Amino acid sequence: MSEKITFTIDGVEVQADPGQTILQAAEAAGIYIPRLCAHKDLTPHGSCRVCTVFVNGRPQSACTQPVAPGITVENDTEKINAIRKDIIEMLFVEGNHFCMFCEKSGNCELQALGYRFGMLAPKYPYMFPKREVDASHPDIFIDRNRCILCGRCVRASRMLDGKGVFEFVGRGPEKRVQVNAEARLADTDASVTDKAVQVCPVGALLPKRVGYKVPVGQRLYDHEPIGSDIEKK
Ligand code: FES
């Protein structure tokens, strides 16, 4: 059995297996590091930066950074949480997120992080971008207004569904998720049971004809902040 690696997170000693990322080791130790693009069944993407921690004083993404002996990780500090809150606010203003009309409300990781970090009115101006909705598929719709470009669907479709239905196209403000067909989701082999649909952290990919299956008030983050399940471990 390989030797454990010892390091600290916010002064707490943590034991990790070689090859684990800081995020994985923290989670196993019952320490929550906020994340959006990371998902336990997918390879790390390192794109959203919500998991930013300071390693020996330098900012790193905890979902991609491997553990190393003796490193000092800062996670739950005022300075780092302010950075994370800024990132969440920027994600809110660069899309069109109308939580009160979204079926994902209460189960949405972006919304839940907004609550966790006490986000009120974002300090950045809303961009109100013009984004497309693709409702062509009989069972799934894509609402790009809510997409945060985390890439979970892109990775899940390729790695878990073996399909490659989704891909990023465009750059900068024009970047968006596109489907592997001439134009529409209906022309792909996407299925509502695909993992790609299930791993979306927001309401950008949703099954059709499902509304209030879980009533408001009983949803994942209605009573406890996101991350509480890990902190209770
Ligand atoms: Fe680590 Fe997104 S969760 S960069």
Side-chain angles (χ1 to χ4, degrees):
M1 216 166 92
S2 48
E3 290 226 338
K4 291 278 186 189
I5 289 177
T6 305
F7 68 105
T8 63
I9 302 179
D10 294 335
V12 176
E13 197 173 283
V14 173
Q15 303 269 319
D17 293 321
Q20 275 189 313
T21 63
I22 293 173
L23 189 132
Q24 289 167 334
E27 184 151 336
I31 297 169
Y32 174 63
I33 298 179
R35 78 293 302 262
L36 266 178
C37 66
H39 185 282
K40 64 177 175 47
D41 298 332
L42 300 171
T43 50
H45 198 228
S47 58
C48 76
R49 314 314 275 189
V50 172
C51 69
T52 297
V53 290
F54 280 64
V55 180
N56 295 342
R58 287 166 175 262
Q60 303 277 2
S61 58
C63 70
T64 53
Q65 186 67 25
V67 293
I71 54 172
T72 302
V73 178
E74 292 167 71
N75 170 43
D76 192 10
T77 69
E78 208 173 306
K79 183 176 169 184
I80 297 171
N81 285 333
I83 294 170
R84 292 168 177 158
K85 186 177 171 192
D86 277 352
I87 294 170
I88 299 298
E89 289 188 1
M90 285 189 260
L91 288 171
F92 265 97
V93 300
E94 73 180 19
N96 298 307
H97 299 277
F98 303 108
C99 299
M100 62 297 253
F101 305 119
C102 182
E103 168 56 23
K104 194 83 174 202
S105 184
N107 290 323
C108 171
E109 295 178 39
L110 178 69
Q111 181 195 48
L113 284 167
Y115 281 124
R116 180 163 179 127
F117 292 119
M119 191 185 92
L120 299 170
K123 59 176 165 290
Y124 306 106
Y126 286 100
M127 293 170 71
F128 297 122
K130 237 179 141 27
R131 301 244 185 103
E132 294 161 11
V133 175
D134 181 346
S136 61
H137 193 281
D139 302 316
I140 313 162
F141 71 82
I142 309 175
D143 187 344
R144 293 186 177 85
N145 291 287
R146 302 167 181 163
C147 179
I148 56 169
L149 301 173
C150 66
R152 284 192 192 175
C153 60
V154 175
R155 283 171 286 155
S157 185
R158 200 179 300 146
M159 291 170 50
L160 306 177
D161 302 324
K163 291 186 177 179
V165 169
F166 303 100
E167 194 48 273
F168 287 124
V169 296
R171 305 181 68 147
E174 303 305 320
K175 187 172 176 178
R176 65 189 189 283
V177 166
Q178 192 51 281
V179 297
N180 185 12
E182 194 66 44
R184 311 176 315 155
L185 186 61
D187 302 326
T188 70
D189 56 354
S191 155
V192 73
T193 54
D194 285 355
K195 280 274 193 284
V197 178
Q198 293 155 24
V199 296
C200 179
V202 291
L205 269 173
L206 281 176
K208 287 183 172 178
R209 298 177 301 281
V210 177
Y212 298 100
K213 193 172 173 192
V214 179
V216 171
Q218 295 174 27
R219 297 181 176 199
L220 210 49
Y221 310 118
D222 280 346
H223 297 287
E224 306 234 43
I226 190 168
S228 303
D229 53 333
I230 295 167
E231 289 162 336
K232 277 182 194 154
K233 267 186 202 165

